[in-house]
Amino acid sequence: MTESSANVAGAGAGEEKLITHPDRNLAMELVRATEAAAIRAVPFIGRGDKNAADGAAVDAMRKFLATVEFQGQVVIGEGEKDEAPMLFNGEIVGNGRGPLCDIAVDPIDGTSLTAAGRPNALSVIAVADRGTMYNPKDLFYMDKIVTGPEGQGIIDLDKPIGENIRALAKAKGKPVEEMVVAVLDRPRHEQLIREIREAGAGTELILDGDVAGGINAARHEPRIDMCAGIGGTPEGIITACAIKSLGGVMQGRWYPRNEEERERAIAAGHDLDAVLSADDLVKTDNCYFVATGVTDGGLVQGVRRVRDRIYTDSVVLRAHSGTLRRVIAEHLETKWL
């Protein structure tokens, strides 16, 4: 039974026990926040203004998080790296009751996708026990590699990507030429993409939002076998919560963008050579990942309007039980006007 900040069943008068762990009901409450953010972003899909979309999603998410029964502290907030609107690091969210939690938010993972009307934009939240999420406040990017459970003991971020692809293909019993690696389509990845193709594998180039890419690499159904490359630290922490729920494998290394960022990170005590696992990034199995589709994608479908109804498609992952639940919701449009 989860301990409560109010009297718990069986406790004597005046005896109170503080909740220190999020319980299974919390994830379902958090879906309301990602649903709200996704719905509020809809008017901005394809309108070319990613900051306006992100601002609307942030406002909606913050409003709904205020009603959730938990004491959340934002450890990873979206927006610092590109000066977009954000739920800022250190912000306290929730109604002040319930479990003490770390929270990582990305009101829209894929703001550029949303602005352009492209697939795979998500609204996401990850939650874990208080004090268990890595807080790399001085580093906004990290190099990552993510696979399904077949990559356990196989992948190694220190090895060339071609070697990793061949080793994973052998572990999966799959020809190398059928392997697909998801990579953010960025100039910094030109060499990585070249090496993947030289190894004989194919690429799926992601325009934005590598959370979905990492999750799809860890699941059985999608065609993606691996997600690799340099992406945002907030997305990395959030992905780690999902990977722990899916039984996948993730490795990461901090990626300073310049010498000033490198020196600041070293002064703060970060080991820039260390290869970090999902367990290093989130030091508990009592964590959750929640995502709602903004636009259609391989993980979830985007928000749809049918007459006076709004439909949302979400996933809820819980690491402790290793479950993935789908939440298909129907909302009365008049309540959102």
Side-chain angles (χ1 to χ4, degrees), residues 247-264:
V249 179
M250 177 178 180
Q251 292 184 357
R253 181 188 289 115
W254 307 125
Y255 182 83
R257 295 171 294 178
N258 50 52
E259 191 58 32
E260 179 184 353
E261 194 168 287
R262 174 182 292 276
E263 291 176 0
R264 186 169 66 245

Side-chain angles (χ1 to χ4, degrees), residues 39-99:
I39 290 171
R40 290 302 188 194
V42 168
F44 301 95
I45 294 175
R47 299 300 179 90
D49 190 342
K50 68 176 186 177
N51 282 348
D54 207 27
V58 168
D59 289 343
M61 181 173 283
R62 180 182 284 115
K63 177 181 177 181
F64 274 79
L65 284 175
T67 70
V68 177
E69 189 156 326
F70 78 139
Q71 302 173 66
Q73 182 172 24
V74 178
V75 174
I76 303 293
E78 174 58 26
E80 287 187 353
K81 66 177 183 290
D82 56 8
E83 298 182 355
M86 64 175 176
L87 280 151
F88 60 85
N89 290 353
E91 182 171 348
I92 303 300
V93 295
N95 65 6
R97 300 187 298 272

Side-chain angles (χ1 to χ4, degrees), residues 21-34:
H21 306 291
D23 68 15
R24 70 188 67 185
N25 296 320
L26 177 59
M28 301 306 293
E29 282 291 296
L30 293 171
V31 171
R32 297 168 58 241
T34 55

Side-chain angles (χ1 to χ4, degrees), residues 44-327:
F44 301 95
I45 294 175
R47 299 300 179 90
D49 190 342
K50 68 176 186 177
N51 282 348
D54 207 27
V58 168
D59 289 343
M61 181 173 283
R62 180 182 284 115
K63 177 181 177 181
F64 274 79
L65 284 175
T67 70
V68 177
E69 189 156 326
F70 78 139
Q71 302 173 66
Q73 182 172 24
V74 178
V75 174
I76 303 293
E78 174 58 26
E80 287 187 353
K81 66 177 183 290
D82 56 8
E83 298 182 355
M86 64 175 176
L87 280 151
F88 60 85
N89 290 353
E91 182 171 348
I92 303 300
V93 295
N95 65 6
R97 300 187 298 272
L100 302 171
C101 300
D102 286 345
I103 179 170
V105 299
D106 202 342
I108 303 181
D109 178 46
T111 52
S112 296
L113 299 177
T114 302
R118 293 182 173 131
N120 291 314
L122 304 170
S123 177
V124 298
I125 294 175
V127 170
D129 296 329
R130 177 67 61 85
T132 60
M133 278 188 184
Y134 202 109
N135 185 1
K137 63 182 186 302
D138 303 299
L139 293 157
F140 300 127
Y141 286 88
M142 63 187 305
D143 194 7
K144 317 165 198 171
I145 185 168
V146 183
T147 75
E150 300 89 350
Q152 188 66 48
I154 300 295
I155 64 166
D156 186 342
L157 195 59
D158 285 328
K159 293 181 179 178
I161 190 66
E163 189 172 335
N164 278 308
I165 291 169
R166 288 187 290 271
L168 183 62
K170 183 177 180 181
K172 299 183 75 166
K174 187 174 183 178
V176 170
E177 57 269 22
E178 293 182 11
M179 297 286 287
V180 177
V181 182
V183 183
L184 279 170
D185 191 5
R186 300 288 187 273
R188 63 178 179 262
H189 289 148
E190 288 179 0
Q191 179 63 27
L192 174 63
I193 292 168
R194 187 178 304 114
E195 291 177 6
I196 291 169
R197 293 171 177 170
E198 287 175 353
T203 56
E204 180 165 314
L205 300 183
I206 306 171
L207 295 174
D208 200 359
D210 61 345
V211 172
I215 293 172
N216 284 330
R219 296 178 65 210
H220 295 290
E221 297 90 345
R223 62 189 294 269
I224 297 173
D225 300 285
M226 179 186 294
C227 185
I230 298 161
T233 297
E235 292 84 353
I237 304 297
I238 292 169
T239 300
C241 285
I243 296 307
K244 288 168 73 72
S245 303
L246 294 167
V249 179
M250 177 178 180
Q251 292 184 357
R253 181 188 289 115
W254 307 125
Y255 182 83
R257 295 171 294 178
N258 50 52
E259 191 58 32
E260 179 184 353
E261 194 168 287
R262 174 182 292 276
E263 291 176 0
R264 186 169 66 245
I266 292 173
H270 296 288
D271 183 353
L272 301 184
D273 295 321
V275 175
L276 307 171
S277 68
D279 287 334
D280 293 316
L281 298 175
V282 183
K283 297 179 181 294
T284 179
D285 282 337
N286 198 35
C287 59
Y288 304 84
F289 169 90
V290 179
T292 299
V294 177
T295 59
D296 289 346
L299 181 63
V300 287
Q301 297 301 298
V303 179
R304 294 182 296 117
R305 276 197 173 98
V306 181
R307 294 186 292 276
D308 63 343
R309 306 287 165 167
I310 300 173
Y311 294 89
T312 55
D313 184 13
S314 307
V315 291
V316 177
L317 288 81
R318 186 181 183 219
H320 183 71
S321 57
T323 54
L324 184 154
R325 291 182 171 88
R326 303 198 70 92
V327 179

